[in-house]
Amino acid sequence: MKESKPASPLKLIVPILITVGVTATATFFMQQLIMERVNSNQKMVSELESSANRNAFTPSTGARMFTPEEIGEIAADYLIKHPQKLVEAGNALENAKATASLERLIPYAPALFDTTETPNIGPDNADVAVIEFFDYQCHFCMRVSPVVDTVLDQNKDVKLFFKEFPIFAGTNPVSAMGAATGLYIFHKYGADGYRKYHNNVMTSAYAFYTSKREFNLAEFDAVVKKSGFDVALTDKDKTRFENVISANMQLGDSLGVSGTPGFIIINMKKPTAETTSFIPGALDIGALQAAIQKARG
């Protein structure tokens, strides 16, 4: 049987580059490496000559342009000897993509920091904002509610914004009514009243969820009354709160919030992509605390 010819280092490394998705990044990295070697001492020159099996540098004439084949051979040789560089290049590319994604959040800071219509808790001069998009019928939101409340108590320089985001309104009346009632209570009873309402509804809804019982409008109304709130929505209130919720849904869509909960942790005084975090889904105390620390800068 005819023996197969061993694949060249270049043929072996190209599929790896394509798989990781960093061909452009690795090529740029290698071009920089080559130029550094070209301007280095004779030992580095010898390494390049050996790697490419041809003259890569002519001392009498200085640096010359490398062909794509030469660059590929040198790159393959280097990455075979230093595979960790490929991982570093991949990580750098992913970090660049993440930063670019967060950059698009920054122009929405004024809408995220709204205090006129958005229920909020914490000092007006807070350093960090935690914005949560949530639904009262989302069991992940129910589960994460105590986490958010605990972290708020532990960080006095944090302001928490509650963006009513009733994605289950089409199938569950409590989703929409909970959002509208929360906005009403915030405007009538203030931040402390809203916090009490929010925590009581989330706790009760989660108890029904874990016991596989339906948390319907009658149960919801009972929790509101037991919490000491008198709610009487007028037609004007309904129109106002429908507009707020509609604006929240549009904002969430623009930001890429596709489910609940969705968290944005951002510096309030100097928002930048580097200090901003976007965390979809439920999180624990450690993750939220880490994002807050990052946002402080």
Side-chain angles (χ1 to χ4, degrees):
M1 181 178 293
K2 185 177 181 180
E3 184 178 357
S4 299
K5 183 179 180 180
S8 71
L10 178 58
K11 290 183 178 179
L12 288 172
I13 202 67
V14 168
I16 299 175
L17 290 173
I18 294 174
T19 301
V20 179
V22 296
T23 304
T25 304
T27 301
F28 174 78
F29 171 80
M30 291 310 305
Q31 288 173 333
Q32 296 302 309
L33 174 67
I34 292 166
M35 292 310 298
E36 290 177 4
R37 289 188 175 186
V38 165
N39 294 305
S40 186
N41 56 38
Q42 187 59 43
K43 181 180 179 180
M44 290 185 177
V45 172
S46 298
E47 291 176 357
L48 286 176
E49 292 174 343
S50 175
S51 298
N53 197 27
R54 58 176 62 84
N55 282 333
F57 176 78
T58 305
S60 60
T61 60
R64 66 176 179 81
M65 294 297 294
F66 287 86
T67 67
E69 290 76 14
E70 289 174 321
I71 293 175
E73 291 288 350
I74 296 170
D77 180 73
Y78 183 84
L79 290 174
I80 288 171
K81 294 178 180 177
H82 307 279
Q84 73 278 8
K85 294 298 182 182
L86 188 60
V87 176
E88 293 173 7
N91 290 338
L93 183 62
E94 289 303 314
N95 290 338
K97 288 181 178 179
T99 299
S101 178
L102 291 172
E103 285 283 2
R104 65 185 179 83
L105 304 182
I106 306 305
Y108 293 95
L112 293 171
F113 300 160
D114 167 68
T115 57
T116 302
E117 300 291 356
T118 304
N120 59 92
I121 302 170
D124 291 334
N125 64 341
D127 295 321
V128 175
V130 174
I131 301 100
E132 180 186 4
F133 290 79
F134 73 97
D135 186 314
Y136 282 109
Q137 285 299 281
C138 161
H139 67 273
F140 290 109
C141 301
M142 301 170 194
R143 191 172 67 187
V144 81
S145 182
V147 170
V148 176
D149 201 56
T150 298
V151 171
L152 182 64
D153 282 337
Q154 294 175 349
N155 297 270
K156 301 305 180 183
D157 63 336
V158 170
K159 193 173 187 66
L160 179 60
F161 294 83
F162 295 90
K163 294 291 186 182
E164 310 280 353
F165 202 68
I167 58 175
F168 298 113
T171 58
N172 194 315
V174 173
S175 174
M177 184 56 70
T181 302
L183 293 171
Y184 177 90
I185 288 177
F186 173 70
H187 288 288
K188 183 175 180 178
Y189 295 96
D192 290 340
Y194 180 84
R195 186 176 188 177
K196 179 181 179 181
Y197 161 82
H198 181 86
N199 290 342
N200 286 353
V201 172
M202 285 297 188
T203 300
S204 298
Y206 194 52
F208 273 77
Y209 171 78
T210 54
S211 62
K212 302 186 184 304
R213 293 179 294 155
E214 181 186 2
F215 188 64
N216 54 34
L217 282 175
E219 300 292 350
F220 169 76
D221 288 338
V223 172
V224 173
K225 291 178 181 178
K226 187 176 180 179
S227 299
F229 301 115
D230 180 23
V231 178
L233 291 169
T234 65
D235 289 340
K236 184 178 180 180
D237 290 330
K238 292 177 183 178
T239 299
R240 177 184 182 182
F241 300 147
E242 284 173 2
N243 290 337
V244 172
I245 293 170
S246 177
N248 285 348
M249 302 302 285
Q250 293 178 28
L251 177 62
D253 183 63
S254 298
L255 297 173
V257 179
S258 57
T260 55
F263 291 92
I264 295 174
I265 301 91
I266 184 171
N267 188 293
M268 289 194 70
K269 297 175 180 176
K270 190 178 179 181
T272 64
E274 290 73 20
T275 57
T276 299
S277 298
F278 173 52
I279 306 176
L283 40 62
D284 57 23
I285 290 178
L288 182 53
Q289 189 62 59
I292 289 172
Q293 188 59 40
K294 174 185 173 183
R296 289 187 177 119

